[in-house]
Amino acid sequence: ACSSTGDDDAAANDAKVVNVTVGGAAGFQFSPAEVTVKVGETVRWTFQGGVHTVTAGADCAAPEPTTFQSKDQSAGTFDFKFETAGDFPYQCTFHCAMGMKGIVHVTQ
């Protein structure tokens, strides 16, 4: 006979959270800089020193804060739940020119 596994229970719980470190030992970067989540899942950025932002947009000169935008922070977390599939590049508005960029790939 088949028995229930923990997988069924996990599906009933809140969707998965993927963690990204901001700054800290990694310096002026997001670690990992590239993550993949499914629609409905959340990315949690954890700030570890230095003042940074998590701001949508690939172009340093034209960020897209209406998509998602953290406050300027050096500690704590910023969560964003992705509701649509696609690629979502982001940056630290203070350090984008230094290459502080990342991307979230969202799949169905």
Side-chain angles (χ1 to χ4, degrees), residues 44-95:
R44 173 172 294 143
W45 289 270
T46 302
F47 293 78
Q48 297 188 339
V51 177
H52 302 288
T53 70
V54 173
T55 305
D59 183 346
C60 294
E64 301 166 16
T66 55
T67 306
F68 58 90
Q69 163 81 50
S70 73
K71 61 185 178 182
D72 303 352
Q73 57 194 94
S74 60
T77 60
F78 170 69
D79 290 0
F80 188 80
K81 184 176 181 179
F82 289 86
E83 301 286 2
T84 56
D87 291 332
F88 296 88
Y90 65 92
Q91 60 183 280
C92 169
T93 56
F94 300 120
H95 305 111

